[in-house]
C-alpha cells in the first residue's frame, strides 16, 4: 500500500523519521514518502530505517507556495535529496521560515510570553512553526488546547498570524523538477476554491511542468475522490495518494488509512517503477 504524503518532527509532525517509518510498517504501508514542509532533513534517517524494515521509502518534500494570493502546497516525490538546486531552494525556504518564526516570537513576547520563541524552538524537532508556538502556549497554561491557541493568538488576524513570502507555484514546480522529482499538486480540496478557479490553478500547474494531482488525501468522501480523479484525467495528470499524517491521534489522517485510487487513475508511482 502506498502512502505518499506524510510528516515527521522535522516539520510539523510529532514522530521522528524512525518512529514514522516503523508506524507505517505496522499500518501495512509498503511504500512511504516522507514529505516534510520545506525540508529534506528527515530523509536520511527515514531511509536507513526503511532499509532495515524492508519498506520502500520515497524521498519527498512539501513546498508552501502562493497562487493568486492563496496558500497552495506542492509536493515533490522521488526527489534526489543531494541535488544542489533543490538544496539551495530548501535553504531559502528555511531562512524565510526562521525569519517568520522570530517575528511570531517577538509579537508573542509583546503580549507577555517572553519565552515563546525559545519554548517553541525547544518543542520543534526541526523548523519552528505556529503549531510549536501553540503547543508551547498550551504547556505553560496560557490556553486550554491547541485550537484555543490558534483562536486567540496564532490564527488569521491574531498577533501570531505573520504572513510569509512564499514562492509562486511555478517556482516550486521548477525546484522539484531540478531536484529530479515529480511535482504533485497537494490536497486540491483544502484550498476551498471555486471549481473554475481550481481548474485555472491546475492548468497553470500543468503548464509549469506539474505532473500529478493528489486525488486522495486522508479519509475523504468517495464523491470527492471521483471528482478529483476525473480532474486529474482531464488534465493529463498522474494521480497520487497520501494520508498527510502529522500526529497519531487523528484517525482521518492516519498512515495508510485512505481509500484506494480509482482504477481509472494512472498512479504516480508508474513514474519511478
Ligand atoms: Mn503540516
Ligand atoms: Mn499541505
Ligand atoms: Mn502535508
Amino acid at each position: 500500500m502506498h502512502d505518499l504524503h506524510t510528516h515527521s518532527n522535522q516539520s510539523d509532525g510529532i514522530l521522528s523519521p524512525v518512529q514514522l517509518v516503523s508506524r507505517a510498517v505496522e499500518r501495512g504501508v509498503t511504500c512511504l514518502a516522507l514529505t516534510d514542509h520545506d525540508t529534506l532533513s528527515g530523509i536520511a534517517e527515514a531511509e536507513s530505517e526503511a532499509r532495515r524494515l524492508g519498506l520502500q521509502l520515497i524521498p519527498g518534500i512539501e513546498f508552501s507556495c502562493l497562487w493568486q494570493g492563496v496558500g497552495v502546497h506542492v509536493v515533490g516525490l522521488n526527489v534526489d535529496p543531494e541535488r544542489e538546486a533543490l538544496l539551495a531552494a530548501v535553504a531559502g525556504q528555511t531562512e524565510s521560515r526562521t525569519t517568520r518564526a522570530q517575528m511570531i516570537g517577538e509579537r508573542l513576547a509583546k503580549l507577555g510570553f517572553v519565552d515563546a520563541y525559545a519554548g517553541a524552538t525547544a518543542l520543534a524537532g526541526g523548523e519552528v512553526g505556529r503549531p510549536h508556538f501553540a503547543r508551547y502556549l498550551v504547556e505553560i497554561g496560557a490556553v486550554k488546547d491547541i485550537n484555543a491557541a490558534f483562536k486567540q493568538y496564532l490564527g488569521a488576524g491574531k498577533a501570531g498570524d505573520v504572513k510569509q513570502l512564499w514562492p509562486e507555484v511555478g517556482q516550486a514546480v521548477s525546484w522539484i523538477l531540478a531536484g529530479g522529482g515529480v511535482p504533485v499538486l497537494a490536497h486540491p480540496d483544502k484550498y476551498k476554491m471555486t471549481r473554475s478557479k481550481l481548474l485555472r490553478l491546475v492548468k497553470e500547474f500543468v503548464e509549469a511542468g506539474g505532473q500529478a494531482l493528489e486525488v486522495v488525501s486522508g479519509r475523504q468522501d468517495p464523491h470527492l475522490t471521483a471528482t478529483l480523479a476525473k480532474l486529474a484525467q482531464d488534465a493529463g495528470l498522474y494521480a497520487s495518494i497520501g494520508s498527510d499524517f502529522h500526529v497519531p491521534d487523528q484517525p482521518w489522517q492516519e498512515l495508510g488509512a485512505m481509500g484506494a485510487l480509482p482504477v481509472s487513475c494512472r498512479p504516480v508511482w508508474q513514474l519511478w517503477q
Side-chain angles (χ1 to χ4, degrees), residues 97-107 117 133:
R97 274 184 184 272
T98 303
T99 307
R100 175 177 178 242
Q102 286 165 345
M103 284 177 69
I104 295 173
E106 282 165 21
R107 291 197 184 182
Y117 183 69
F133 284 101

Side-chain angles (χ1 to χ4, degrees), residues 131-178:
H132 306 111
F133 284 101
R135 280 168 57 199
Y136 171 76
L137 292 173
V138 173
E139 252 179 39
I140 62 168
V143 288
K144 68 174 189 333
D145 57 24
I146 300 285
N147 281 342
F150 273 87
K151 216 170 168 183
Q152 291 177 48
Y153 297 109
L154 298 160
K158 300 299 166 183
D161 175 27
V162 177
K163 295 286 179 257
Q164 189 158 343
L165 286 178
W166 293 122
E168 288 295 318
V169 165
Q171 175 68 78
V173 168
S174 307
W175 287 339
I176 292 163
L177 292 172

